[in-house]
Amino acid sequence: MNAIAPQIIDLEEAQVTAFNNDHIEEIITFFHPEFVGFSSTKHERIAGLQALYETFEFYSNEADKIEYEIDQPTVQVAGDSAVITFYWAVTIHKNQKTQTVKGRGSHVYIQTDGDWKIIHEHFSRAHHHIDN
């Protein structure tokens, strides 16, 4: 395995922890200022850190508790870029009800000034059952 791959996986796991602890300011630190991406819940692009912050804030306010997890992360590295693909599951707890949504995602990282930052993400819901 490329020496960079474990670093990228560690960044993803740290992001999962920040999300599950509702630390939006910390989550934003994983992203590049010129970030652009797609979520599984919106059709429009999310561009820039402010829009990303508002997206995470929306998710946080929509539920009593949200649990996010990733599974089977795979990293490809090309120079100062890396792509991680993974399966994800989000469990939403709201009004004493629980719903789990599953899907797949990818983050494109670029290395700037020695730090790896996410410049692009794409999340999509699964159209069929995924066994994690």
Side-chain angles (χ1 to χ4, degrees):
M1 179 186 285
N2 185 304
I4 295 168
Q7 293 176 41
I8 300 298
I9 292 170
D10 287 347
L11 288 169
E12 283 296 319
E13 290 174 353
Q15 188 184 156
V16 167
T17 299
F19 185 90
N20 288 336
N21 289 315
D22 200 25
H23 294 163
I24 299 173
E25 292 83 10
E26 182 181 352
I27 297 167
I28 298 303
T29 66
F30 293 94
F31 292 83
H32 190 277
E34 295 176 29
F35 165 82
V36 176
F38 292 101
S39 81
S40 65
T41 56
K42 293 180 133 189
H43 178 73
E44 308 86 31
R45 283 183 183 91
I46 301 167
L49 298 181
Q50 181 61 37
L52 187 63
Y53 185 95
E54 291 168 6
T55 300
F56 285 122
E57 191 173 52
F58 171 81
Y59 295 146
S60 176
N61 291 334
E62 281 298 301
D64 300 325
K65 182 179 178 184
I66 301 175
E67 296 170 285
Y68 168 56
E69 62 183 274
I70 64 169
D71 190 39
Q72 301 177 39
T74 302
V75 178
Q76 296 170 280
V77 179
D80 290 340
S81 299
V83 177
I84 184 168
T85 58
F86 47 87
Y87 296 100
W88 56 264
V90 173
T91 302
I92 302 159
H93 304 272
K94 184 175 183 175
N95 299 328
Q96 299 181 344
K97 294 182 181 178
T98 300
Q99 175 187 9
T100 299
V101 179
K102 294 184 178 187
R104 56 203 179 272
S106 60
H107 280 143
V108 177
Y109 283 82
I110 59 171
Q111 188 176 39
T112 53
D113 300 325
D115 292 326
W116 289 95
K117 299 287 183 181
I118 300 166
I119 189 100
H120 176 76
E121 77 176 8
H122 192 120
F123 280 72
S124 57
R125 292 180 184 205
H127 294 286
H128 63 321
H129 180 73
I130 298 174
D131 291 322
N132 285 344

